Amino acid sequence: MFAHKVDARKDAHSNLLSKKETSNLYKIQFHNVKPECMEAYNKMSDEVQKELHRDASYPCEVIGSWNNWYGEQDQAVHLWRYSGGYPALTECLRKLNRNTAYLAFRKERSKMLISRRNQLLLEFSFWNEPASRSGPNIYELRTYQLVPGTMIEWGNHWARAIKYRQENNEAVGGFFTQIGELYVVHHLWAYKDLQSREETRNAAWLKEGWDANVHYTSETVRTVQCI
């Protein structure tokens, strides 16, 4: 019935649902910033990210950095990609812990933060590979906390559902957690503006089959958040 249907009994969820052609690992960071520090935080983070990108010895890159418009305010979200999986992450952490400039940045950043948390993620095999795109755009991060044990079911349904959301190139990436809060799914979408978002989402409901996929995936969800 579904493209990319997998059997949960044969292997770990991470092997069944993630991309086989790449060995990328992702990290998403949520930083709650003191309101009066937001501008300085953004400027300093941007400078450090550019410096890391210029150094080819670091097997990592920032896919995107955003500030929330809605939902939790004064929050910054960063999405990193580590080319080479866990070994690449370990190598980056080892180098950063010896990078005096980065350590100074981290110390200064700590003065600006109220709290922070992160998660390690893998990509769903049926989603787009996150890539740069022309802008300006607004981005929507939808986070689903699934009922434990339903990740395979979610993946089987969304492998079919994603085809309904490709016409306007709004799908940026789909991920599921490996370390941090478990049974969490993140879908990242891009739109020209809020009006475009409304029109694109409404258009999906006009396609036969989208409503069924929403119904069946909703049964696996405990909570959902949109920022």
Side-chain angles (χ1 to χ4, degrees):
M1 181 176 179
F2 300 108
H4 188 82
K5 186 172 183 179
V6 297
D7 188 340
R9 297 169 296 179
K10 293 182 178 180
D11 205 345
H13 292 183
S14 58
N15 293 330
L16 292 169
L17 294 171
S18 62
K19 280 185 169 64
K20 299 296 188 297
E21 63 272 21
T22 68
S23 57
N24 293 328
L25 178 70
Y26 291 81
K27 178 172 70 176
I28 191 167
Q29 298 175 308
F30 299 91
H31 289 173
N32 293 314
V33 184
K34 296 177 182 177
E36 67 273 16
C37 297
M38 200 75 215
E39 184 176 351
Y41 168 91
N42 286 335
K43 183 176 184 297
M44 187 171 62
S45 296
D46 183 60
E47 291 172 352
V48 171
Q49 291 170 6
K50 288 179 179 177
E51 189 65 30
L52 290 176
H53 283 180
R54 285 192 288 265
D55 190 339
S57 68
Y58 286 89
C60 65
E61 58 180 324
V62 179
I63 301 301
S65 289
W66 304 275
N67 292 157
N68 292 2
W69 274 9
Y70 300 101
E72 194 157 2
Q73 297 295 284
D74 303 307
Q75 185 180 75
V77 181
H78 308 287
L79 182 63
W80 294 77
R81 176 164 57 201
Y82 296 89
S83 301
Y86 291 109
L89 172 65
T90 301
E91 181 181 356
C92 283
L93 293 176
R94 178 177 56 83
K95 289 183 176 180
L96 289 175
N97 284 329
R98 299 187 308 194
N99 184 327
T100 55
Y102 182 82
L103 293 176
F105 154 73
R106 193 167 63 182
K107 183 177 181 180
E108 187 64 24
R109 184 188 65 185
S110 68
K111 303 174 185 177
M112 302 180 180
L113 297 181
I114 299 171
S115 64
R116 61 192 177 100
R117 63 185 174 91
N118 57 30
Q119 299 166 345
L120 293 182
L121 316 171
L122 294 177
E123 304 170 82
F124 281 113
S125 61
F126 46 85
W127 270 76
N128 303 337
E129 184 80 15
S132 300
R133 56 179 64 208
S134 58
N137 296 293
I138 62 169
Y139 290 82
E140 176 183 9
L141 181 67
R142 297 181 73 88
T143 299
Y144 303 87
Q145 177 73 58
L146 303 187
V147 175
T150 62
M151 185 66 74
I152 293 293
E153 184 180 357
W154 174 275
N156 283 334
H157 284 293
W158 262 98
R160 182 179 183 180
I162 191 64
K163 70 180 182 180
Y164 299 108
R165 299 295 305 276
Q166 296 282 14
E167 290 184 1
N168 294 326
N169 194 34
E170 69 265 27
V172 177
F175 312 91
F176 60 98
T177 53
Q178 279 290 93
I179 297 179
E181 299 169 270
L182 298 181
Y183 293 103
V184 174
V185 169
H186 298 289
H187 288 178
L188 185 61
W189 309 91
Y191 305 99
K192 179 182 177 181
D193 49 37
L194 288 175
Q195 181 62 35
S196 174
R197 173 186 179 274
E198 181 180 15
E199 293 169 357
T200 299
R201 290 175 57 82
N202 287 343
W205 286 99
L206 301 178
K207 300 173 183 176
E208 184 177 358
W210 172 252
D211 56 342
N213 281 287
V214 171
H215 170 73
Y216 288 119
T217 54
S218 296
E219 293 181 343
T220 69
V221 176
R222 296 175 65 180
T223 63
V224 59
Q225 181 187 41
C226 174
I227 61 174

